[in-house]
Amino acid sequence: MPGEPTQQQNRRADARRNVEAILDAAAVCLSRDPDASVAEIARSAGVGRVTLYGHFANRAVLVDAVVARAIEEGDAALDAVDLTGDPRDALVRLVRQSWLTIVQVGSLLTAATEALGPERVLALHARPASRVERLVARGRVEGVFRSDLSASWLVGTLHRVMHGAAEEIDAGRLAPDDAATTITATVLAAFTPPGTPVPAVPDEVAR
């Protein structure tokens, strides 16, 4: 009948639902266990391994897709962060929201690093990193961020400190409630020009 979905349209809709179910299941399974197997993810998604492999050629491809989606969603939240005004204050706001995003991604980052390697993980963070790059560039122009080190090094330092905090929490060496304060204090110290007093961590971060 006119207007009714065709068989091909139904198959496409089923495929989209399967992909979303697989990605959702993978996000849950990998957050719980970074070493979760394809079989476990398929069971959680309610599909067979053949169906899963029909959409994702191997585990690394699946992990890549899950982490890319998580980073994209987290990056959308960062779009709402006010990066105007004093670059140091803007940096504090960005760090605080970025850390919340990392907490939400959780063990997905561990799974990504193990399955994809650090270079691919950095590539997936390219768009969020560009936001930091622009802020660092403005801070250097205004003289509140150091210019004796390259901008790319400062951006990379922020990235490594934040993910290092996640690893410290996993190892039991850092309390989750202290992470935002620790990250902010470390990054402010790293970004401040030599000989310039390091700003104190704002109370709203320390709380």
Side-chain angles (χ1 to χ4, degrees):
M1 293 180 61
E4 291 186 354
T6 65
Q7 189 174 18
Q8 184 177 17
Q9 288 173 329
N10 285 332
R11 283 198 297 269
R12 288 175 178 169
D14 287 342
R16 285 194 295 271
R17 282 192 293 270
N18 284 338
V19 168
E20 287 303 311
I22 292 167
L23 290 174
D24 290 342
V28 172
C29 291
L30 293 170
S31 292
R32 185 172 57 239
D33 176 12
D35 296 319
S37 67
V38 168
E40 180 183 349
I41 293 170
R43 283 195 302 271
S44 181
V47 301
R49 291 180 63 182
V50 172
T51 298
L52 187 150
Y53 281 123
H55 296 292
F56 303 97
N58 52 52
R59 186 177 182 279
V61 171
L62 173 58
V63 172
D64 192 297
V66 173
V67 175
R69 186 180 71 164
I71 290 175
E72 182 178 339
E73 291 172 351
D75 189 53
L78 295 180
D79 284 336
V81 178
D82 178 13
L83 297 182
T84 61
D86 189 316
R88 292 166 295 190
D89 294 337
L91 178 66
V92 170
R93 292 191 292 270
L94 183 61
V95 166
R96 185 172 61 232
Q97 183 59 52
S98 297
W99 175 246
L100 292 175
T101 299
I102 287 178
V103 170
Q104 292 166 354
V105 172
S107 297
L108 284 179
L109 293 172
T110 302
T113 302
E114 292 176 353
L116 309 175
E119 289 186 2
R120 177 54 181 161
V121 173
L122 283 174
L124 289 170
H125 282 85
R127 187 171 185 273
S130 68
R131 181 184 288 104
V132 183
E133 289 167 358
R134 292 191 296 273
L135 178 57
V136 167
R138 185 164 69 85
R140 284 155 62 96
V141 168
E142 295 182 21
V144 296
F145 291 160
R146 63 193 305 162
S147 57
D148 59 320
L149 299 176
S150 70
S152 63
W153 179 260
L154 295 180
V155 173
T157 296
L158 172 58
H159 176 88
R160 286 185 287 272
V161 168
M162 297 189 77
H163 290 284
E167 293 174 0
E168 289 295 293
I169 289 173
D170 287 342
R173 294 187 292 263
L174 177 64
D177 290 345
D178 295 336
T181 300
T182 301
I183 294 167
T184 303
T186 303
V187 172
L188 284 174
F191 280 33
T192 299
T196 303
V198 177
V201 176
D203 289 341
E204 63 269 21
V205 176
R207 282 198 301 266

